[in-house]
Amino acid sequence: MADLLDRWRAAAHAAGAKPDERIIRAGEQLLARWGEPHRHYHTVAHLGVVLDVVDRHAGLAGRPDLVRLAAWCHDAVYDPRAAGDANERDSAALAESLLTGLGVPAPAVAEVRRLVLLTAGHRVTRDDADGALLCDADLAVLAGPPAAYDRYAAAIRREYAHVPEPAFRSGRAAVLTGLLELPTLFRLPPLAARWEAPARANLGRELATLTGSAAH
């Protein structure tokens, strides 16, 4: 956790936060949210993966410090019972409040809020490199080896344990279909070249399992 807090502090400083003890308290507050017991996939481990992808490809972004802050905040509010994009909207509002309180300049706060909201639908315009990096990092799990993807899918099911199986299958199938209907899952060329095909194969395989149809 100390390493993650150091990464949070570095990103906040780079974005213009005032260098005082409030930065660490804010990071600890975010980590507490990411560590909530009802989370099985949207955990500190997911946060770490997203940050690692952002760090490896920071040179492709205009403001990687803001992408990192958006990564910290993008699932900070996560309630599996929430409807629609409520979690993303609440996470964006939390980011705005938290970063404003740390003295981050208003334009940077607005950009982090915008980036967090993009993770609701992962629809990014062609000229939005920062949005592309965040969304590509958020979806990196889709391109994992089949066994790792299956563990991810099982963790999602545990987060929605309160949903009866028929309703879960229907809702999850709709989510997967929406992802498969995106023109591309990954926007940054180096990531798209490596991840697009395996991600679509994993999504198609899970969708076939949910719907009882043959995967194509």
Side-chain angles (χ1 to χ4, degrees), residues 89-136:
R89 287 187 284 106
D90 288 348
S91 292
L94 176 65
E96 182 175 32
S97 173
L98 205 63
L99 296 175
T100 298
L102 295 178
V104 175
V109 173
E111 174 64 359
V112 172
R113 178 183 174 87
R114 183 189 74 83
L115 291 170
V116 171
L117 289 172
L118 284 178
T119 63
H122 299 95
R123 296 184 180 276
V124 182
T125 59
R126 189 178 298 274
D127 60 347
D128 185 3
D130 290 358
L133 180 54
L134 177 63
C135 288
D136 284 5

Side-chain angles (χ1 to χ4, degrees), residues 7-20 22-23 63-69 98-109 112:
R7 294 167 78 175
W8 159 258
R9 180 167 49 194
H13 282 164
K18 296 176 181 177
D20 59 34
R22 289 178 298 171
I23 292 179
R63 288 291 305 270
D65 52 321
L66 302 187
V67 180
R68 292 183 181 102
L69 293 180
L98 205 63
L99 296 175
T100 298
L102 295 178
V104 175
V109 173
V112 172

Side-chain angles (χ1 to χ4, degrees), residues 1 4-5 24-39 42-44 47 72 75-78 94 98:
M1 293 298 183
L4 278 174
L5 283 174
I24 292 301
R25 289 203 300 269
E28 290 171 343
Q29 176 187 341
L30 288 170
L31 284 175
R33 288 178 172 275
W34 284 94
E36 292 165 336
H38 65 272
R39 297 172 182 246
H42 294 87
T43 63
V44 171
L47 170 62
W72 272 90
D75 283 325
V77 178
Y78 184 70
L94 176 65
L98 205 63

Side-chain angles (χ1 to χ4, degrees), residues 163-189:
V163 179
E165 186 66 15
F168 176 80
R169 284 176 172 267
S170 175
R172 179 68 176 166
V175 170
L176 300 183
T177 299
L179 288 169
L180 287 167
E181 288 176 349
L182 289 172
T184 179
L185 292 165
F186 302 101
R187 293 86 177 165
L188 297 176

